[in-house]
Amino acid sequence: MTLHSAFSRRAGYALATALTLVLVACGGGGGGGEGGFFPVIPASSSTPPASTPPASTPEPSPPPAAPTYAVSGTVTGLLGTGLVLQNNAGDDLPITANGRFSFATPLAGGTRYAVSIKSQSKILTRVCTVANGSGTIAAAAVDDVQVVCAEPPSRFAYVSNGDSNSVSAYTVDASTGALRAATTLSVPSPYALTVDPSGRFVYVSSTSAPACRRIPSTVRQVT
């Protein structure tokens, strides 16, 4: 064996040994090692983060409710119970005493209000009327409605007509006392009559009937 061939063989052994060490250190050459290759991924090739979904647009808030305003006023001169007020033909409000009142249902601006009397007091010597009771709601509450209860004025006169089976009603001029024919009510054989203190009914006795007959008074029809 020459010196050159011996050197070549030793160099080959050394190279093979180095390759074996490299494979062992890197976990190569077998499937049972715990080691392995750990590739390095350049920053430029990393997976981009998931995109954030756009924020949802909030729903618009509902418009504020339109302001509403109460309808109220004052009652004076009331006696007894039974008085019931209405606003716009509803919203019934029983009144049991003098003083302030207010309807339960407020109204929006620009709407109409009309206070009226649904039923009078049971005390017949009092008739209630409404003042400042209608109009249009402005941007403020209505608080000046006036309900005044008082003894009704004598505005009519009645005459029984036995020969014509009727009762005649006449208006009375408050300044001069002059009478003017208003209406005629048919009543068989009228004899005597009287008007209740409130002026709402006329009671007529008849010679052909066993009892008095109650008929609506002209006062009730007019007021």
Side-chain angles (χ1 to χ4, degrees), residues 5-219:
S5 61
F7 178 78
S8 297
R9 182 175 297 177
R10 290 177 181 177
Y13 291 154
L15 179 59
T17 302
L19 290 175
T20 300
L21 292 174
V22 169
L23 289 174
V24 172
C26 296
E34 295 182 358
F37 294 98
F38 299 93
V40 178
I41 301 176
S44 60
S45 63
S46 60
T47 303
S51 59
T52 303
S56 59
T57 304
E59 295 184 1
S61 300
T68 56
Y69 306 94
V71 176
S72 62
T74 305
V75 175
T76 58
L78 176 64
L79 295 177
T81 60
L83 176 64
V84 178
L85 305 180
Q86 286 189 323
N87 186 22
N88 293 333
D91 201 11
D92 290 11
L93 179 60
I95 303 296
T96 59
N98 293 312
R100 298 288 304 174
F101 69 87
S102 181
F103 287 97
T105 304
L107 301 178
T111 59
R112 293 279 301 173
Y113 67 94
V115 179
S116 60
I117 294 175
K118 180 180 180 179
S119 63
Q120 294 280 353
S121 167
K122 295 177 181 178
I123 301 298
L124 299 181
T125 57
R126 285 291 186 270
V127 173
C128 301
T129 57
V130 179
N132 300 329
S134 63
T136 302
I137 300 290
V142 174
D143 60 0
D144 60 348
V145 179
Q146 297 178 10
V147 178
V148 179
C149 303
E151 183 178 350
S154 177
R155 296 184 296 170
F156 294 87
Y158 300 89
V159 176
S160 61
N161 306 309
D163 294 338
S164 60
N165 296 320
S166 63
V167 172
S168 297
Y170 298 85
T171 60
V172 180
D173 188 299
S175 300
T176 65
L179 300 179
R180 186 174 63 180
T183 188
T184 299
L185 306 173
S186 177
V187 178
S189 303
Y191 176 70
L193 55 84
T194 186
V195 181
D196 79 89
S198 70
R200 287 183 283 171
F201 296 98
V202 175
Y203 295 87
V204 181
S205 62
S206 173
T207 58
S208 62
C212 293
R213 178 183 176 187
R214 186 185 70 176
I215 60 176
S217 163
T218 306
V219 174

